[in-house]
Amino acid sequence: MPATQLHLHTTRLILIPCVRSQVQDGEIDLPAPWNATVSLLKYPFGSHFAHYMAALDADPDLLGWGIWFVIAKDKLTVVGDIGFKGVPNEKRAVEIGYGLLPNYQGLGYATEAVRELVSFAWDSRKVAVIEADCFDTNNASIRVLEKLGFVQCEHEHGMIGWKLRPDYQGTS
C-alpha cells in the first residue's frame, strides 16, 4: 500500500507514514479528502530519520512501524513526528516515541497522536505490549503516557520505562 494511502486521522490531526520520496521531495501529498500538499522544507529532520530510511529501504514491510508525520488539519502543517522503533518483536512488543515542535507543544497533540498510533498497534493484532521511555524530568511526556494508561515499569539513570497492555484504558 502506498504511504499516501496509509494514513490515520483524529479530530485535529493526520498521521502519514514517512517514506523516502517525501524526505527527498520536501513535501507530503495528502490523500482524499484533504487532497493537499504539505511542505517539509523547514522541518528539522532528526538523526532518527536517516536510520529509519535505511531500515525502510532494506525492509519495505517496516512501513507503518517506523516514523509517521503528525500534521495539524487546521494548518496543514507538520507539527512533529511519532512512530514505533521497528516491527513487533518475538514478544509482540513495540516501542513508541514521539516529539513535537516547540510551537505545538502543550496543545494536546502528543496525547492525540499517541492514542491514535496505539490504536493502530492494537488493531494490527500483532502487538501485545507497547513500551515507551522518557526522561524523568520530562513532565509533559510523563503526563501523556499516564493519561493513556501506560504504567511505569522501571526507573534508572534518569529514564522511566513504561508499558501499556490492551486491557488497560487510560483516563482520557
Side-chain angles (χ1 to χ4, degrees):
M1 174 182 299
T4 55
Q5 290 179 3
L6 177 58
H7 68 279
L8 305 171
H9 66 95
T10 68
T11 304
R12 301 182 303 154
L13 302 173
I14 307 164
L15 279 64
I16 300 285
C18 176
V19 295
R20 183 173 295 284
S21 62
Q22 296 162 335
V23 176
Q24 289 174 337
D25 297 345
E27 61 185 32
I28 302 169
D29 291 321
L30 297 179
W34 302 283
N35 296 321
T37 300
V38 175
S39 176
L40 291 170
L41 295 179
K42 294 182 180 179
Y43 192 73
F45 292 99
S47 59
H48 59 295
F49 277 88
H51 179 265
Y52 171 66
M53 288 294 116
L56 186 60
D57 287 346
D59 182 7
D61 290 335
L62 185 59
L63 186 68
W65 298 105
I67 300 171
W68 296 66
F69 290 109
V70 180
I71 301 164
K73 286 181 180 178
D74 62 343
K75 298 173 181 22
L76 290 180
T77 300
V78 177
V79 299
D81 59 82
I82 186 171
F84 298 110
K85 298 178 182 178
V87 298
N89 65 22
E90 65 281 348
K91 294 180 181 178
R92 298 181 55 216
V94 291
E95 184 177 352
I96 195 168
Y98 51 92
L100 295 178
L101 298 174
N103 290 348
Y104 302 102
Q105 294 174 2
L107 302 174
Y109 288 156
T111 302
E112 199 170 323
V114 172
R115 181 183 293 116
E116 190 65 19
L117 210 55
V118 163
S119 293
F120 171 84
W122 298 153
D123 291 348
S124 76
R125 304 208 181 277
K126 297 176 181 178
V127 174
V129 63
I130 300 173
E131 300 171 345
D133 58 36
C134 69
F135 289 108
D136 58 11
T137 56
N138 188 340
N139 293 326
S141 192
I142 290 168
R143 183 66 190 126
V144 166
L145 296 168
E146 287 175 341
K147 279 195 284 188
L148 296 175
F150 282 77
V151 176
Q152 289 188 29
C153 58
E154 59 186 69
H155 187 176
E156 57 183 289
H157 309 294
M159 295 295 291
I160 303 172
W162 303 81
K163 290 191 179 187
L164 179 67
R165 300 191 186 283
D167 55 350
Y168 185 86
Q169 298 296 318
T171 60
S172 63

